[in-house]
């Protein structure tokens, strides 16, 4: 997850077992699980390799995620958020708004906003009351993405680290609209705004990946 193995790198079962001082059995099980989660590919005569992702792959993943999270937002609105969970949901939005609207905007504020972003989306999944939907959404959140230091494998939620402040502001405006729709029980509106919110992030990541890929091709 921290990019120690670059996209395309081969993960040799024996070498991994020796490096971690374990038997091959847990390594084999782990590789199989990572493959099922979409972090690895399997290539004939090579074995497991860290998954490569193209700009179009990123866009496709976010298209799927947009539809899944849109459904979660609609279900959350239709079921309703009441009592203490409602108060907590409102406090998450309020703190995010306070951060993005404040004078200080540095690494500390960005990191905290990112944590709240994960909590916000998680709260919606919880309110949707569908474990199968939640697990499907989680699978779309872990993929190789672009960072300022290059292409690495991260949680997709960490992609925001290279957004400028205007992008954070626009994302927060989406959150406010989504939250308002959910709390008002407006399922159709919540779904539509959430889908556009996620799709916009996917388009941004695709653009960044395309720029990075072009820069790599230009290298001698």
């Amino acid at each position: 997850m921290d990019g120690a193995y670059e996209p395309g790198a081969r993960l040799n079962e024996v070498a991994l077992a020796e490096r971690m001082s374990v038997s091959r059995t847990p390594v084999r099980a782990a590789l199989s699980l990572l493959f099922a989660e979409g972090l690895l590919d399997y290539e004939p005569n090579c074995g497991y390799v860290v998954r490569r992702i193209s700009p179009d792959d990123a866009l496709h993943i976010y298209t799927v995620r947009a539809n899944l999270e849109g459904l979660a937002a609609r279900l959350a609105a239709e079921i309703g958020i009441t009592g203490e969970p409602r108060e907590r949901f409102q406090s998450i939005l309020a703190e995010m708004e306070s951060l993005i609207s404040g004078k200080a905007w540095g690494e500390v504020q960005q990191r905290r906003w990112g944590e709240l972003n994960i909590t916000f989306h998680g709260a919606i999944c919880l309110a949707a009351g569908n474990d199968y939907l939640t697990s499907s959404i989680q699978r779309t959140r872990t993929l190789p993405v672009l960072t300022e230091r290059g292409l690495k494998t991260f949680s997709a939620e960490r992609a925001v680290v290279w957004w400028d402040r205007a992008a954070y502001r626009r994302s927060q405006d989406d959150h406010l609209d989504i939250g308002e729709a959910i709390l008002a029980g407006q399922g159709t509106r919540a779904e539509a705004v959430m889908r556009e919110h996620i799709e916009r992030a996917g388009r941004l990541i695709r653009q960044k990946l395309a720029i990075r890929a072009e820069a790599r091709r230009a290298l001698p």
Side-chain angles (χ1 to χ4, degrees), residues 153-186:
T153 306
F154 284 117
S155 163
E157 302 293 351
R158 299 184 191 178
V160 296
V161 298
W162 39 256
W163 286 10
D164 58 28
R165 191 167 184 175
Y168 279 96
R169 177 68 265 175
R170 185 165 187 177
S171 181
Q172 176 62 11
D173 287 342
D174 285 346
H175 290 155
L176 295 174
D177 286 344
I178 293 165
E180 180 182 68
I182 289 175
L183 295 177
Q186 299 170 340

Side-chain angles (χ1 to χ4, degrees), residues 67-140:
N67 282 273
L68 293 174
E69 293 218 36
L71 174 58
R74 177 167 64 80
L75 291 175
E78 292 174 350
I79 293 171
I81 303 178
T82 60
E84 194 275 334
R86 185 184 183 94
E87 294 178 2
R88 186 167 62 250
F89 187 68
Q90 291 172 318
S91 70
I92 292 169
L93 282 169
E95 185 177 351
M96 294 178 80
E97 180 62 24
S98 177
L99 286 167
I100 198 66
S101 300
K103 292 183 178 179
W105 186 249
E107 183 177 345
V108 173
Q109 290 77 19
Q110 291 175 25
R111 182 169 60 250
R112 178 56 180 164
W113 193 93
E115 292 169 352
L116 290 167
N117 178 53
I118 296 173
T119 303
F120 171 78
H121 286 273
I124 293 173
C125 287
L126 182 63
N130 188 316
D131 291 341
Y132 294 100
L133 178 58
T134 297
S135 62
S136 296
I137 290 172
Q138 188 57 45
R139 286 191 61 186
T140 68

Side-chain angles (χ1 to χ4, degrees), residues 26-54:
V27 172
R28 187 180 303 115
L31 292 174
S32 178
L33 180 59
L34 291 171
F35 172 74
E37 292 179 346
L39 287 173
L40 303 181
D41 284 326
Y42 187 84
E43 298 181 357
N45 303 318
C46 182
Y48 290 108
V49 298
V50 180
R51 185 181 178 188
R52 302 177 180 88
I53 186 166
S54 71

